[in-house]
Amino acid sequence: MDVKIEASWKEQLSDEFEKDYFKNLTSFVRDEYQKQHIFPPGKLIFNAFDQCPFDQVKVVILGQDPYHGPGQAHGLCFSVNDGIEFPPSLQNIFKEVQLDTGAPIPKSGNLERWARQGVLLLNATLTVRAHQAGSHQRKGWEEFTDAAIRKLAEEKEDLVFILWGSYAIKKGEFINPDKHLILTSVHPSPLSASRGFFGNKHFSRANEYLRQHGKEPIAW
């Protein structure tokens, strides 16, 4: 199956594209885009991979679903298009970046600037119906994104995996903590951020680990 995805990821994940679950997923997603209002736009489904080639990944941040409001989702977890108001979780992420590193709150919520530095911003599910959170869960996306995480965890060393909330933590259970740094906390959602997200210092801890392993830190 010819999937439009960045070349190094296409090579790494080529086996997945031939599996039955992925063929079924492709049929489901194609049908949904024809009949429903789906986010992100079709050409941005694999944007997280396109913006951050396999060989350049240094940090992985795991999300769950794309945003399901108009104009928000563009294929990177927690990120929104330029000019879109910051969703609450993203507001809290920027607050923690400022608390942790002193970096000012940015004017744009577009995190492509992180992706270009080697941060894979990966949702577990890559598509969603408008205004229906979780509507494309358990259709095959989770198996596909597990395969991507597994490739990184097994093929590379000294990555930073940032897992916020019980869903992301569970999804990353197979990652070897002897090969990689795994940072976990509650989710940045307003429902939980004050119970351990603020003050987790994940951004400075990630950079400290990258420096220790001879890698360029991220300008958060």
Side-chain angles (χ1 to χ4, degrees):
M1 183 178 292
D2 184 30
V3 177
K4 301 285 190 293
I5 192 171
E6 189 276 331
S8 64
W9 279 108
K10 190 168 194 171
E11 184 180 347
Q12 291 292 333
L13 297 171
S14 57
D15 289 351
E16 298 303 309
F17 302 141
E18 302 307 319
K19 292 180 179 176
D20 286 344
Y21 88 84
F22 193 85
K23 292 174 182 174
N24 293 336
L25 170 64
T26 301
S27 297
F28 166 76
V29 169
R30 193 176 288 131
D31 191 57
E32 285 283 284
Y33 272 93
Q34 288 172 353
K35 296 177 179 174
Q36 305 286 340
H37 192 186
I38 306 298
F39 296 123
K43 66 178 192 276
L44 297 177
I45 292 173
F46 296 111
N47 199 27
F49 300 97
D50 296 339
Q51 296 287 335
C52 189
F54 183 86
D55 302 331
Q56 294 174 26
V57 177
K58 296 189 284 193
V59 178
V60 181
I61 298 179
L62 278 186
Q64 190 163 352
D65 257 9
Y67 294 123
H68 52 81
Q72 292 179 311
H74 65 130
L76 309 180
C77 72
F78 296 108
S79 178
V80 290
N81 282 301
D82 292 324
I84 298 292
E85 186 179 346
F86 301 167
S89 290
L90 185 58
Q91 288 181 33
N92 288 337
I93 288 168
F94 287 153
K95 283 181 192 171
E96 175 57 22
V97 170
Q98 186 176 46
L99 282 168
D100 185 15
T101 70
I105 303 284
K107 291 186 167 55
S108 169
N110 188 329
L111 301 180
E112 286 181 5
R113 60 186 181 275
W114 290 4
R116 286 192 292 270
Q117 298 176 76
V119 182
L120 180 67
L121 294 154
L122 183 64
N123 276 315
T125 302
L126 299 188
T127 53
V128 70
R129 281 189 188 180
H131 312 298
Q132 294 185 43
S135 48
H136 283 188
Q137 290 178 4
R138 294 177 292 282
K139 302 294 184 183
W141 278 132
E142 294 91 341
E143 192 170 342
F144 176 72
T145 52
D146 276 353
I149 297 163
R150 198 177 296 277
K151 277 283 183 183
L152 288 166
E154 291 176 356
E155 302 282 333
K156 296 172 78 82
E157 292 184 0
D158 308 327
L159 298 181
V160 181
F161 289 89
I162 297 179
L163 312 177
W164 295 325
S166 56
Y167 182 91
I169 292 168
K170 187 162 179 35
K171 193 170 176 70
E173 279 178 344
F174 60 78
I175 301 164
N176 183 349
D178 296 327
K179 277 181 74 177
H180 307 286
L181 177 65
I182 304 168
L183 298 174
T184 63
S185 79
V186 298
H187 196 273
S189 151
L191 299 173
S192 56
S194 59
R195 300 202 308 270
F197 179 76
F198 293 129
N200 66 23
K201 297 191 179 300
H202 282 181
F203 303 100
S204 61
R205 289 168 66 189
N207 277 350
E208 184 183 346
Y209 182 85
L210 292 174
R211 282 192 202 96
Q212 287 172 354
H213 292 86
K215 299 181 183 183
E216 195 71 26
I218 308 298
W220 300 107

